[in-house]
Amino acid sequence: MASSPRRTVVCSVLPLLLLLAGAARAAGNFYQDVDITWGDGRGKILGGGDVLTLSLDRASGSGFQSKNQYLYGRFDMQIKLVPGDSAGTVATFYLSSQGSAHDEIDFEFLGNASGEPYTVHTNVYSQGKGGREQQFRMWFDPTADFHTYSVVWNPTHILFYVDGTPIREHRNREAATGVAYPRSQAMRVYASVWDAEEWATQGGRVRTDWSRAPFVASYKGFAASGCASQDAAACARSNGAWMYQELDATALDRLQWVQKNYMIYNYCTDTWRFKDGAPPECATK
């Protein structure tokens, strides 16, 4: 089982590379660690930098990005999602590079009408190609309190965790299948709350009730431990614990429990979408 998502892991590279490029420290204060990039005041840093809220109304949503960008690492965020009737809204926590051939690792939280559960939507893009969705319900109310959502990204695995429990594993099968894996483009950490009423809730059948705006999601406990060098070769030699992290037998059992009981969509088993067979990266061996 992976270590607790609240545990700080410090990235280091070979001593000379550490002197030349440095390694990202664990983050702890939103004033120091992120820039609010859009929303015209709808993003607010509170509590001396401990909490950041993002809000959405009919005019605009809001979002922020990390000051640092990373090539491999572990990224944790505690989030309390929009409570009540949040239909049509999406809150996010994700990593992304830039450009049309970008890489991206997504947590997206699709809002709901009152009394219906949130959908936790995950996706992985490589070289601009996504479409690798897995969706889950959670085993708790994600609006009642903060819960920790984590991504581990290293040369062989991308792992998604909720409160330290693995919910998804995406392996690097590039050598065997030719399907690109995110391994050369540095990514920033992003978060946002935005209007997706055209599709987010029951395929857009349930629209946003704007009388309930503003819709507010709260973020705290951002911790990023990763290689902040722009030298891919240097980052490939990082020795942070996340660099070698994978799922042991206990964690695999937990992953299978989540996927059996809480997964509601897996692109690898979508025979309507992939009539000629699942994409090659879905292979189990």
Side-chain angles (χ1 to χ4, degrees), residues 2 27 35 59 71 157 162 170 194 199 235-236 241 243 273 279:
D35 294 311
L71 187 59
H157 292 76
V162 176
H170 179 85
W194 55 283
W199 63 270
C235 287
M243 194 65 176
R273 183 175 167 193

Side-chain angles (χ1 to χ4, degrees), residues 8-262:
T8 299
V9 180
V10 178
C11 164
S12 60
V13 292
L14 295 176
L16 179 60
L17 295 171
L18 196 58
L19 290 171
L20 294 175
R25 65 176 178 79
N29 185 289
F30 281 115
Y31 283 117
Q32 299 172 9
D33 302 320
V34 308
D35 294 311
I36 297 174
T37 50
W38 64 285
D40 193 23
R42 292 172 178 83
K44 300 182 185 300
I45 299 176
L46 308 172
D50 293 335
V51 176
L52 194 156
T53 61
L54 296 176
S55 68
L56 164 70
D57 57 35
R58 195 150 205 162
S60 180
S62 50
F64 65 86
Q65 68 180 39
S66 63
K67 293 181 183 293
N68 285 328
Q69 52 185 343
Y70 308 89
L71 187 59
Y72 305 131
R74 179 181 179 124
F75 310 91
D76 302 310
M77 189 77 77
Q78 296 177 44
I79 308 172
K80 183 163 64 173
L81 296 174
V82 177
D85 184 349
S86 58
T89 71
V90 173
T92 69
F93 163 52
Y94 65 102
L95 286 76
S96 183
S97 61
Q98 298 298 308
S100 58
H102 72 291
D103 296 334
E104 188 172 324
I105 304 169
D106 292 340
F107 267 113
E108 293 185 299
F109 307 94
L110 312 186
N112 62 93
S114 295
E116 296 181 10
Y118 259 83
T119 296
V120 178
H121 176 101
T122 66
N123 203 351
V124 176
Y125 285 75
S126 55
Q127 297 295 308
K129 183 181 184 301
R132 304 182 177 103
E133 303 94 345
Q134 289 184 0
Q135 295 183 340
F136 306 83
R137 308 292 196 200
M138 290 295 95
W139 48 94
F140 52 82
D141 178 357
T143 73
D145 203 350
F146 287 92
H147 292 270
T148 303
Y149 303 89
S150 308
V151 170
V152 172
W153 169 37
N154 62 41
T156 60
H157 292 76
I158 294 169
L159 304 170
F160 295 78
Y161 293 87
V162 176
D163 289 336
T165 294
I167 67 168
R168 179 174 183 178
E169 175 188 50
H170 179 85
R171 296 187 181 186
N172 181 354
R173 303 188 188 278
E174 187 168 352
T177 65
V179 176
Y181 178 86
R183 59 182 176 83
S184 61
Q185 300 187 70
M187 296 195 253
R188 293 187 191 275
V189 179
Y190 295 86
S192 60
V193 177
W194 55 283
D195 171 21
E197 71 171 351
E198 296 298 326
W199 63 270
T201 307
Q202 296 184 24
R205 291 187 296 275
V206 179
R207 312 295 281 191
T208 303
D209 181 356
W210 291 109
S211 71
R212 297 178 177 271
F215 301 99
V216 179
S218 300
Y219 295 76
K220 70 176 185 178
F222 173 40
S225 303
C227 183
S229 170
Q230 296 305 295
D231 183 340
C235 287
R237 292 191 289 271
S238 299
N239 64 1
W242 40 264
M243 194 65 176
Y244 312 101
Q245 190 166 332
E246 57 184 78
L247 301 181
D248 61 16
T250 301
L252 283 170
D253 286 345
R254 191 67 172 165
L255 174 72
Q256 291 167 4
W257 173 81
V258 171
Q259 295 195 342
K260 177 182 178 181
N261 292 285
Y262 297 100

